[in-house]
Amino acid sequence: MTAPTLRYAIATALVASLALAGCKKDKPADTAVTPPPMSTPAPTQPASPMNSAVSITSVTLGTQAGADKMIQTSTTDFTTNDPIIVSVSTTGTSGSTNIHTRLVYEDGQVAGEESQSISTNGIETTNFTFNNANGWPAGNYTAEVAIDSAAPRKTSFTVK
């Protein structure tokens, strides 16, 4: 290739590239709306131990409890000299929950009353032992067990 031909070829290439650059259309603006990221619900935080509910799962009566606090032989029939053990099984989590238990004689008279505050994280058994040095009067009774200020759970029993 001769110098004038080379210059001609370079000039043509330069003009062609300028022409192409000048003809290049701008990319149209992206008018599509990008949707916001899908919102995911915030993870539920476990309730703090101070605010979780504790509920009664069972109330068992008997005269003797084992080392595990479970009533060895449950009964609703007692003699006048028997200790009356009210065993309360609960479930839940709490830094401080009050369990209140009372024995009510058939005429409405309170025959015994105890409260305990528990701190629990799961399943718990709490026992209340009632004794009467003069012997329990024969008749029908109700053991009432309540957690904090909830309505009591009632279990009937008899002293013979």
Side-chain angles (χ1 to χ4, degrees):
M1 234 188 208
T2 62
T5 311
L6 183 60
R7 277 191 224 149
Y8 182 73
I10 292 174
T12 305
L14 180 61
V15 171
S17 66
L18 287 175
L20 285 175
C23 292
K24 180 179 173 188
K25 291 185 179 178
D26 288 336
K27 181 179 175 184
D30 189 0
T31 58
V33 176
T34 304
M38 288 183 53
S39 86
T40 17
T44 304
Q45 296 295 322
S48 82
M50 299 304 280
N51 298 330
S52 293
V54 173
S55 61
I56 298 171
T57 55
S58 68
V59 175
T60 308
L61 306 178
T63 59
Q64 192 173 20
D68 62 355
K69 298 183 183 180
M70 302 301 282
I71 296 293
Q72 291 183 340
T73 304
S74 67
T75 186
T76 55
D77 293 319
F78 296 87
T79 66
T80 58
N81 295 318
D82 281 339
I84 299 171
I85 300 174
V86 180
S87 182
V88 182
S89 294
T90 55
T91 188
T93 302
S94 173
S96 178
T97 294
N98 187 48
I99 302 175
H100 183 80
T101 302
R102 69 179 171 179
L103 305 182
V104 180
Y105 188 59
E106 58 193 35
D107 64 359
Q109 179 182 346
V110 175
E113 193 164 20
E114 288 186 29
S115 289
Q116 290 185 40
S117 180
I118 64 168
S119 176
T120 182
N121 187 17
I123 298 171
E124 186 80 28
T125 301
T126 307
N127 289 341
F128 299 87
T129 303
F130 296 92
N131 290 295
N132 189 333
N134 300 321
W136 299 104
N140 297 314
Y141 292 77
T142 303
E144 297 178 349
V145 180
I147 298 234
D148 293 327
S149 59
R153 184 167 180 170
K154 300 178 181 184
T155 304
S156 298
F157 65 96
T158 305
V159 173
K160 297 179 181 179

Short mmCIF file of all heavy atoms in Angstrom, two decimals, residues 48-114:
data_model
loop_
_atom_site.label_atom_id
_atom_site.label_comp_id
_atom_site.label_asym_id
_atom_site.label_seq_id
_atom_site.Cartn_x
_atom_site.Cartn_y
_atom_site.Cartn_z
N SER A 48 -40.04 -12.59 76.16
CA SER A 48 -39.07 -12.59 77.24
C SER A 48 -39.61 -13.42 78.39
O SER A 48 -40.81 -13.50 78.59
CB SER A 48 -38.78 -11.17 77.71
OG SER A 48 -39.77 -10.74 78.59
N PRO A 49 -38.73 -14.05 79.15
CA PRO A 49 -39.18 -14.91 80.23
C PRO A 49 -40.09 -14.20 81.21
O PRO A 49 -40.91 -14.81 81.85
CB PRO A 49 -37.88 -15.36 80.91
CG PRO A 49 -36.84 -15.21 79.87
CD PRO A 49 -37.30 -14.08 78.99
N MET A 50 -39.96 -12.89 81.33
CA MET A 50 -40.78 -12.17 82.29
C MET A 50 -42.22 -12.01 81.79
O MET A 50 -43.10 -11.70 82.56
CB MET A 50 -40.18 -10.80 82.58
CG MET A 50 -38.79 -10.87 83.18
SD MET A 50 -38.71 -11.83 84.68
CE MET A 50 -39.32 -10.63 85.83
N ASN A 51 -42.48 -12.18 80.50
CA ASN A 51 -43.79 -11.89 79.96
C ASN A 51 -44.56 -13.11 79.47
O ASN A 51 -45.67 -12.97 79.03
CB ASN A 51 -43.66 -10.90 78.81
CG ASN A 51 -43.08 -9.59 79.28
OD1 ASN A 51 -43.28 -9.20 80.42
ND2 ASN A 51 -42.36 -8.91 78.41
N SER A 52 -43.96 -14.26 79.47
CA SER A 52 -44.63 -15.42 78.93
C SER A 52 -45.63 -15.98 79.92
O SER A 52 -45.47 -15.87 81.12
CB SER A 52 -43.62 -16.51 78.58
OG SER A 52 -42.83 -16.06 77.52
N ALA A 53 -46.63 -16.61 79.38
CA ALA A 53 -47.68 -17.18 80.22
C ALA A 53 -47.26 -18.53 80.77
O ALA A 53 -46.55 -19.29 80.14
CB ALA A 53 -48.96 -17.32 79.40
N VAL A 54 -47.72 -18.78 81.95
CA VAL A 54 -47.58 -20.09 82.57
C VAL A 54 -48.99 -20.60 82.76
O VAL A 54 -49.88 -19.87 83.20
CB VAL A 54 -46.84 -19.99 83.94
CG1 VAL A 54 -46.85 -21.32 84.66
CG2 VAL A 54 -45.41 -19.51 83.71
N SER A 55 -49.21 -21.85 82.41
CA SER A 55 -50.55 -22.41 82.57
C SER A 55 -50.49 -23.72 83.36
O SER A 55 -49.48 -24.41 83.36
CB SER A 55 -51.21 -22.63 81.22
OG SER A 55 -50.44 -23.53 80.45
N ILE A 56 -51.59 -24.02 84.00
CA ILE A 56 -51.71 -25.25 84.78
C ILE A 56 -52.02 -26.39 83.81
O ILE A 56 -52.95 -26.28 83.02
CB ILE A 56 -52.84 -25.12 85.83
CG1 ILE A 56 -52.52 -24.02 86.82
CG2 ILE A 56 -53.07 -26.46 86.53
CD1 ILE A 56 -53.66 -23.66 87.75
N THR A 57 -51.24 -27.46 83.89
CA THR A 57 -51.53 -28.62 83.04
C THR A 57 -52.29 -29.69 83.81
O THR A 57 -53.06 -30.43 83.23
CB THR A 57 -50.24 -29.22 82.44
OG1 THR A 57 -49.34 -29.53 83.49
CG2 THR A 57 -49.60 -28.26 81.47
N SER A 58 -52.07 -29.76 85.15
CA SER A 58 -52.83 -30.71 85.96
C SER A 58 -52.73 -30.36 87.44
O SER A 58 -51.78 -29.71 87.87
CB SER A 58 -52.35 -32.16 85.73
OG SER A 58 -51.06 -32.32 86.26
N VAL A 59 -53.74 -30.80 88.17
CA VAL A 59 -53.76 -30.69 89.62
C VAL A 59 -54.04 -32.09 90.14
O VAL A 59 -55.04 -32.70 89.77
CB VAL A 59 -54.85 -29.71 90.12
CG1 VAL A 59 -54.93 -29.72 91.64
CG2 VAL A 59 -54.58 -28.31 89.60
N THR A 60 -53.12 -32.61 90.96
CA THR A 60 -53.26 -33.96 91.49
C THR A 60 -53.23 -33.89 93.01
O THR A 60 -52.41 -33.17 93.59
CB THR A 60 -52.10 -34.86 91.00
OG1 THR A 60 -52.02 -34.75 89.57
CG2 THR A 60 -52.32 -36.30 91.38
N LEU A 61 -54.10 -34.64 93.65
CA LEU A 61 -54.15 -34.69 95.11
C LEU A 61 -53.64 -36.02 95.60
O LEU A 61 -53.81 -37.05 94.96
CB LEU A 61 -55.58 -34.48 95.61
CG LEU A 61 -56.31 -33.23 95.12
CD1 LEU A 61 -57.73 -33.20 95.66
CD2 LEU A 61 -55.56 -31.98 95.52
N GLY A 62 -53.02 -36.01 96.79
CA GLY A 62 -52.53 -37.24 97.38
C GLY A 62 -52.04 -36.98 98.79
O GLY A 62 -52.14 -35.86 99.31
N THR A 63 -51.45 -38.01 99.39
CA THR A 63 -50.94 -37.89 100.75
C THR A 63 -49.42 -37.96 100.81
O THR A 63 -48.83 -37.68 101.85
CB THR A 63 -51.51 -38.99 101.67
OG1 THR A 63 -51.16 -40.27 101.12
CG2 THR A 63 -53.03 -38.88 101.78
N GLN A 64 -48.79 -38.33 99.70
CA GLN A 64 -47.34 -38.46 99.70
C GLN A 64 -46.79 -38.17 98.30
O GLN A 64 -47.32 -38.66 97.31
CB GLN A 64 -46.94 -39.87 100.13
CG GLN A 64 -45.49 -40.03 100.43
CD GLN A 64 -45.19 -41.41 101.01
OE1 GLN A 64 -45.96 -42.34 100.85
NE2 GLN A 64 -44.07 -41.53 101.67
N ALA A 65 -45.70 -37.36 98.27
CA ALA A 65 -45.05 -37.04 97.00
C ALA A 65 -43.64 -37.61 97.01
O ALA A 65 -42.99 -37.66 98.05
CB ALA A 65 -45.01 -35.53 96.78
N GLY A 66 -43.16 -38.00 95.84
CA GLY A 66 -41.82 -38.53 95.71
C GLY A 66 -40.80 -37.40 95.59
O GLY A 66 -41.14 -36.22 95.60
N ALA A 67 -39.54 -37.79 95.45
CA ALA A 67 -38.45 -36.82 95.31
C ALA A 67 -38.64 -35.95 94.07
O ALA A 67 -38.20 -34.80 94.03
CB ALA A 67 -37.11 -37.54 95.24
N ASP A 68 -39.32 -36.48 93.06
CA ASP A 68 -39.58 -35.73 91.83
C ASP A 68 -40.81 -34.82 91.95
O ASP A 68 -41.25 -34.23 90.98
CB ASP A 68 -39.75 -36.68 90.65
CG ASP A 68 -40.93 -37.63 90.82
OD1 ASP A 68 -41.59 -37.63 91.89
OD2 ASP A 68 -41.20 -38.40 89.88
N LYS A 69 -41.35 -34.72 93.16
CA LYS A 69 -42.52 -33.90 93.49
C LYS A 69 -43.84 -34.47 92.96
O LYS A 69 -44.88 -33.87 93.13
CB LYS A 69 -42.37 -32.45 93.01
CG LYS A 69 -41.23 -31.71 93.62
CD LYS A 69 -41.22 -30.28 93.12
CE LYS A 69 -40.05 -29.50 93.65
NZ LYS A 69 -40.06 -28.12 93.14
N MET A 70 -43.79 -35.61 92.31
CA MET A 70 -45.01 -36.21 91.78
C MET A 70 -45.72 -36.98 92.89
O MET A 70 -45.08 -37.62 93.73
CB MET A 70 -44.69 -37.16 90.62
CG MET A 70 -43.93 -36.49 89.47
SD MET A 70 -44.81 -35.13 88.72
CE MET A 70 -45.96 -36.02 87.74
N ILE A 71 -47.05 -36.92 92.89
CA ILE A 71 -47.85 -37.65 93.86
C ILE A 71 -47.68 -39.14 93.59
O ILE A 71 -47.81 -39.59 92.45
CB ILE A 71 -49.35 -37.25 93.74
CG1 ILE A 71 -49.54 -35.78 94.09
CG2 ILE A 71 -50.23 -38.14 94.60
CD1 ILE A 71 -49.27 -35.40 95.52
N GLN A 72 -47.36 -39.89 94.67
CA GLN A 72 -47.12 -41.33 94.48
C GLN A 72 -48.41 -42.08 94.18
O GLN A 72 -48.44 -42.94 93.31
CB GLN A 72 -46.39 -41.89 95.69
CG GLN A 72 -44.97 -41.35 95.76
CD GLN A 72 -44.17 -41.93 96.91
OE1 GLN A 72 -44.71 -42.44 97.88
NE2 GLN A 72 -42.86 -41.82 96.80
N THR A 73 -49.46 -41.80 94.92
CA THR A 73 -50.76 -42.41 94.67
C THR A 73 -51.80 -41.31 94.75
O THR A 73 -52.05 -40.77 95.83
CB THR A 73 -51.08 -43.52 95.71
OG1 THR A 73 -50.02 -44.47 95.71
CG2 THR A 73 -52.39 -44.20 95.40
N SER A 74 -52.40 -40.98 93.63
CA SER A 74 -53.39 -39.90 93.65
C SER A 74 -54.70 -40.41 94.25
O SER A 74 -55.05 -41.58 94.13
CB SER A 74 -53.61 -39.35 92.25
OG SER A 74 -54.23 -40.31 91.43
N THR A 75 -55.39 -39.50 94.93
CA THR A 75 -56.65 -39.84 95.55
C THR A 75 -57.50 -38.59 95.71
O THR A 75 -56.99 -37.47 95.70
CB THR A 75 -56.45 -40.51 96.93
OG1 THR A 75 -57.71 -40.95 97.44
CG2 THR A 75 -55.81 -39.56 97.94
N THR A 76 -58.79 -38.79 95.83
CA THR A 76 -59.70 -37.71 96.19
C THR A 76 -60.44 -38.06 97.47
O THR A 76 -61.38 -37.37 97.86
CB THR A 76 -60.71 -37.42 95.05
OG1 THR A 76 -61.41 -38.62 94.73
CG2 THR A 76 -60.01 -36.86 93.82
N ASP A 77 -60.00 -39.14 98.15
CA ASP A 77 -60.57 -39.57 99.44
C ASP A 77 -59.48 -39.54 100.49
O ASP A 77 -58.46 -40.24 100.37
CB ASP A 77 -61.15 -40.98 99.33
CG ASP A 77 -62.36 -41.04 98.40
OD1 ASP A 77 -63.18 -40.11 98.46
OD2 ASP A 77 -62.46 -42.00 97.62
N PHE A 78 -59.69 -38.76 101.54
CA PHE A 78 -58.71 -38.60 102.62
C PHE A 78 -59.35 -38.95 103.95
O PHE A 78 -60.58 -38.91 104.09
CB PHE A 78 -58.21 -37.14 102.66
CG PHE A 78 -57.47 -36.72 101.42
CD1 PHE A 78 -58.14 -36.21 100.32
CD2 PHE A 78 -56.09 -36.85 101.35
CE1 PHE A 78 -57.46 -35.84 99.17
CE2 PHE A 78 -55.39 -36.48 100.21
CZ PHE A 78 -56.08 -35.97 99.12
N THR A 79 -58.50 -39.28 104.92
CA THR A 79 -58.99 -39.47 106.29
C THR A 79 -58.75 -38.16 107.04
O THR A 79 -58.02 -37.28 106.57
CB THR A 79 -58.26 -40.62 107.01
OG1 THR A 79 -56.89 -40.27 107.19
CG2 THR A 79 -58.36 -41.92 106.22
N THR A 80 -59.33 -38.05 108.22
CA THR A 80 -59.24 -36.79 108.98
C THR A 80 -57.82 -36.42 109.37
O THR A 80 -57.53 -35.24 109.57
CB THR A 80 -60.12 -36.84 110.23
OG1 THR A 80 -59.71 -37.94 111.04
CG2 THR A 80 -61.59 -36.99 109.86
N ASN A 81 -56.92 -37.39 109.47
CA ASN A 81 -55.54 -37.12 109.89
C ASN A 81 -54.53 -37.08 108.75
O ASN A 81 -53.34 -36.87 108.98
CB ASN A 81 -55.10 -38.14 110.94
CG ASN A 81 -55.90 -38.01 112.21
OD1 ASN A 81 -56.16 -36.90 112.67
ND2 ASN A 81 -56.33 -39.13 112.78
N ASP A 82 -54.99 -37.28 107.53
CA ASP A 82 -54.08 -37.27 106.37
C ASP A 82 -53.55 -35.87 106.08
O ASP A 82 -54.29 -34.88 106.20
CB ASP A 82 -54.80 -37.76 105.11
CG ASP A 82 -54.95 -39.26 105.03
OD1 ASP A 82 -54.20 -39.98 105.71
OD2 ASP A 82 -55.84 -39.71 104.26
N PRO A 83 -52.27 -35.79 105.65
CA PRO A 83 -51.85 -34.54 105.03
C PRO A 83 -52.51 -34.50 103.65
O PRO A 83 -52.72 -35.53 103.02
CB PRO A 83 -50.33 -34.69 104.91
CG PRO A 83 -50.10 -36.17 104.87
CD PRO A 83 -51.21 -36.79 105.67
N ILE A 84 -52.86 -33.32 103.20
CA ILE A 84 -53.45 -33.18 101.86
C ILE A 84 -52.42 -32.43 101.02
O ILE A 84 -52.11 -31.27 101.29
CB ILE A 84 -54.79 -32.43 101.91
CG1 ILE A 84 -55.78 -33.23 102.77
CG2 ILE A 84 -55.33 -32.20 100.49
CD1 ILE A 84 -57.07 -32.49 103.07
N ILE A 85 -51.87 -33.14 100.04
CA ILE A 85 -50.88 -32.54 99.15
C ILE A 85 -51.56 -32.20 97.83
O ILE A 85 -52.18 -33.07 97.21
CB ILE A 85 -49.67 -33.47 98.91
CG1 ILE A 85 -48.98 -33.79 100.23
CG2 ILE A 85 -48.69 -32.81 97.93
CD1 ILE A 85 -47.87 -34.81 100.11
N VAL A 86 -51.46 -30.94 97.46
CA VAL A 86 -51.98 -30.49 96.17
C VAL A 86 -50.76 -30.28 95.28
O VAL A 86 -49.93 -29.41 95.53
CB VAL A 86 -52.78 -29.18 96.32
CG1 VAL A 86 -53.31 -28.72 94.97
CG2 VAL A 86 -53.92 -29.35 97.33
N SER A 87 -50.64 -31.11 94.26
CA SER A 87 -49.51 -31.06 93.33
C SER A 87 -49.96 -30.38 92.05
O SER A 87 -50.89 -30.85 91.39
CB SER A 87 -49.00 -32.47 93.06
OG SER A 87 -47.89 -32.44 92.20
N VAL A 88 -49.29 -29.28 91.72
CA VAL A 88 -49.68 -28.47 90.56
C VAL A 88 -48.60 -28.58 89.48
O VAL A 88 -47.46 -28.19 89.71
CB VAL A 88 -49.87 -26.99 90.97
CG1 VAL A 88 -50.33 -26.17 89.78
CG2 VAL A 88 -50.84 -26.88 92.14
N SER A 89 -48.97 -29.12 88.34
CA SER A 89 -48.04 -29.19 87.20
C SER A 89 -48.35 -28.01 86.29
O SER A 89 -49.50 -27.73 85.98
CB SER A 89 -48.23 -30.49 86.43
OG SER A 89 -47.85 -31.58 87.23
N THR A 90 -47.28 -27.31 85.90
CA THR A 90 -47.42 -26.14 85.04
C THR A 90 -46.48 -26.25 83.84
O THR A 90 -45.53 -27.02 83.86
CB THR A 90 -47.08 -24.84 85.81
OG1 THR A 90 -45.76 -24.96 86.36
CG2 THR A 90 -48.09 -24.58 86.91
N THR A 91 -46.77 -25.46 82.84
CA THR A 91 -45.89 -25.35 81.69
C THR A 91 -45.85 -23.88 81.27
O THR A 91 -46.83 -23.16 81.44
CB THR A 91 -46.35 -26.25 80.52
OG1 THR A 91 -45.36 -26.23 79.50
CG2 THR A 91 -47.67 -25.82 79.95
N GLY A 92 -44.71 -23.47 80.75
CA GLY A 92 -44.55 -22.10 80.30
C GLY A 92 -43.25 -21.52 80.80
O GLY A 92 -42.42 -22.21 81.40
N THR A 93 -43.08 -20.23 80.55
CA THR A 93 -41.85 -19.55 80.92
C THR A 93 -42.20 -18.27 81.65
O THR A 93 -43.03 -17.49 81.18
CB THR A 93 -41.02 -19.21 79.68
OG1 THR A 93 -40.74 -20.43 79.00
CG2 THR A 93 -39.72 -18.53 80.04
N SER A 94 -41.57 -18.07 82.79
CA SER A 94 -41.82 -16.86 83.56
C SER A 94 -40.69 -16.63 84.54
O SER A 94 -40.15 -17.57 85.11
CB SER A 94 -43.14 -16.98 84.32
OG SER A 94 -43.30 -15.87 85.19
N GLY A 95 -40.35 -15.37 84.73
CA GLY A 95 -39.35 -15.01 85.73
C GLY A 95 -39.96 -15.00 87.11
O GLY A 95 -39.27 -15.20 88.11
N SER A 96 -41.27 -14.79 87.20
CA SER A 96 -41.95 -14.77 88.48
C SER A 96 -43.44 -14.96 88.27
O SER A 96 -44.11 -14.10 87.71
CB SER A 96 -41.69 -13.45 89.20
OG SER A 96 -42.40 -13.44 90.43
N THR A 97 -43.94 -16.11 88.70
CA THR A 97 -45.36 -16.41 88.62
C THR A 97 -45.82 -16.86 89.99
O THR A 97 -45.16 -17.67 90.64
CB THR A 97 -45.63 -17.53 87.59
OG1 THR A 97 -45.29 -17.02 86.30
CG2 THR A 97 -47.08 -17.96 87.58
N ASN A 98 -46.96 -16.35 90.42
CA ASN A 98 -47.50 -16.71 91.72
C ASN A 98 -48.56 -17.80 91.55
O ASN A 98 -49.49 -17.64 90.78
CB ASN A 98 -48.12 -15.47 92.39
CG ASN A 98 -48.54 -15.77 93.81
OD1 ASN A 98 -47.78 -16.34 94.58
ND2 ASN A 98 -49.75 -15.38 94.15
N ILE A 99 -48.38 -18.90 92.28
CA ILE A 99 -49.38 -19.96 92.30
C ILE A 99 -50.04 -19.90 93.67
O ILE A 99 -49.36 -19.94 94.71
CB ILE A 99 -48.76 -21.36 92.09
CG1 ILE A 99 -48.01 -21.41 90.77
CG2 ILE A 99 -49.85 -22.43 92.13
CD1 ILE A 99 -47.27 -22.71 90.54
N HIS A 100 -51.36 -19.79 93.67
CA HIS A 100 -52.12 -19.67 94.92
C HIS A 100 -53.05 -20.87 95.04
O HIS A 100 -53.79 -21.18 94.10
CB HIS A 100 -52.94 -18.37 94.91
CG HIS A 100 -53.69 -18.13 96.16
ND1 HIS A 100 -53.09 -17.62 97.28
CD2 HIS A 100 -54.98 -18.37 96.49
CE1 HIS A 100 -53.98 -17.53 98.25
NE2 HIS A 100 -55.13 -17.98 97.79
N THR A 101 -53.01 -21.55 96.17
CA THR A 101 -53.83 -22.73 96.39
C THR A 101 -54.59 -22.58 97.70
O THR A 101 -54.02 -22.13 98.70
CB THR A 101 -52.96 -24.00 96.47
OG1 THR A 101 -52.22 -24.11 95.26
CG2 THR A 101 -53.79 -25.24 96.65
N ARG A 102 -55.85 -22.96 97.68
CA ARG A 102 -56.61 -22.96 98.93
C ARG A 102 -57.58 -24.12 98.94
O ARG A 102 -58.04 -24.58 97.89
CB ARG A 102 -57.31 -21.64 99.18
CG ARG A 102 -58.44 -21.31 98.27
CD ARG A 102 -59.04 -19.99 98.67
NE ARG A 102 -59.98 -19.55 97.68
CZ ARG A 102 -60.67 -18.45 97.77
NH1 ARG A 102 -60.50 -17.66 98.80
NH2 ARG A 102 -61.51 -18.11 96.84
N LEU A 103 -57.85 -24.58 100.15
CA LEU A 103 -58.82 -25.64 100.36
C LEU A 103 -60.08 -24.99 100.92
O LEU A 103 -60.02 -24.22 101.88
CB LEU A 103 -58.29 -26.67 101.36
CG LEU A 103 -56.93 -27.31 101.03
CD1 LEU A 103 -56.56 -28.35 102.10
CD2 LEU A 103 -56.94 -27.94 99.65
N VAL A 104 -61.21 -25.29 100.30
CA VAL A 104 -62.48 -24.70 100.72
C VAL A 104 -63.41 -25.83 101.18
O VAL A 104 -63.64 -26.78 100.43
CB VAL A 104 -63.12 -23.90 99.56
CG1 VAL A 104 -64.44 -23.27 100.00
CG2 VAL A 104 -62.16 -22.84 99.05
N TYR A 105 -63.90 -25.67 102.42
CA TYR A 105 -64.84 -26.65 102.98
C TYR A 105 -66.20 -26.44 102.35
O TYR A 105 -66.50 -25.37 101.80
CB TYR A 105 -64.88 -26.49 104.51
CG TYR A 105 -65.67 -27.56 105.24
CD1 TYR A 105 -65.33 -28.89 105.13
CD2 TYR A 105 -66.75 -27.21 106.03
CE1 TYR A 105 -66.05 -29.87 105.81
CE2 TYR A 105 -67.47 -28.17 106.72
CZ TYR A 105 -67.12 -29.51 106.59
OH TYR A 105 -67.83 -30.47 107.26
N GLU A 106 -67.07 -27.42 102.45
CA GLU A 106 -68.37 -27.39 101.79
C GLU A 106 -69.23 -26.18 102.14
O GLU A 106 -70.07 -25.76 101.35
CB GLU A 106 -69.15 -28.68 102.08
CG GLU A 106 -69.38 -28.95 103.53
CD GLU A 106 -69.87 -30.37 103.81
OE1 GLU A 106 -69.46 -31.33 103.14
OE2 GLU A 106 -70.67 -30.50 104.74
N ASP A 107 -69.03 -25.58 103.32
CA ASP A 107 -69.82 -24.40 103.69
C ASP A 107 -69.20 -23.09 103.21
O ASP A 107 -69.68 -22.01 103.53
CB ASP A 107 -70.05 -24.36 105.21
CG ASP A 107 -68.76 -24.18 106.01
OD1 ASP A 107 -67.67 -24.10 105.40
OD2 ASP A 107 -68.84 -24.12 107.25
N GLY A 108 -68.10 -23.18 102.44
CA GLY A 108 -67.44 -21.99 101.92
C GLY A 108 -66.29 -21.50 102.77
O GLY A 108 -65.58 -20.57 102.40
N GLN A 109 -66.11 -22.11 103.94
CA GLN A 109 -65.02 -21.71 104.83
C GLN A 109 -63.68 -22.16 104.25
O GLN A 109 -63.54 -23.28 103.77
CB GLN A 109 -65.24 -22.36 106.20
CG GLN A 109 -64.17 -22.07 107.21
CD GLN A 109 -64.43 -22.79 108.54
OE1 GLN A 109 -65.51 -23.29 108.79
NE2 GLN A 109 -63.42 -22.83 109.37
N VAL A 110 -62.69 -21.26 104.29
CA VAL A 110 -61.35 -21.60 103.80
C VAL A 110 -60.66 -22.44 104.87
O VAL A 110 -60.48 -22.01 106.01
CB VAL A 110 -60.55 -20.33 103.47
CG1 VAL A 110 -59.12 -20.69 103.08
CG2 VAL A 110 -61.22 -19.54 102.36
N ALA A 111 -60.29 -23.67 104.51
CA ALA A 111 -59.67 -24.61 105.44
C ALA A 111 -58.15 -24.55 105.40
O ALA A 111 -57.49 -25.07 106.29
CB ALA A 111 -60.15 -26.03 105.13
N GLY A 112 -57.59 -23.93 104.40
CA GLY A 112 -56.14 -23.78 104.27
C GLY A 112 -55.83 -22.98 103.03
O GLY A 112 -56.59 -23.01 102.05
N GLU A 113 -54.72 -22.24 103.08
CA GLU A 113 -54.37 -21.38 101.96
C GLU A 113 -52.86 -21.19 101.92
O GLU A 113 -52.24 -20.94 102.97
CB GLU A 113 -55.08 -20.04 102.14
CG GLU A 113 -55.09 -19.16 100.96
CD GLU A 113 -56.13 -18.05 101.09
OE1 GLU A 113 -56.56 -17.73 102.22
OE2 GLU A 113 -56.51 -17.50 100.06
N GLU A 114 -52.26 -21.34 100.75
CA GLU A 114 -50.82 -21.16 100.56
C GLU A 114 -50.55 -20.56 99.19
O GLU A 114 -51.31 -20.79 98.25
CB GLU A 114 -50.05 -22.49 100.64
CG GLU A 114 -49.94 -23.09 102.02
CD GLU A 114 -49.05 -24.32 102.03
OE1 GLU A 114 -48.12 -24.41 101.20
OE2 GLU A 114 -49.29 -25.20 102.86
#
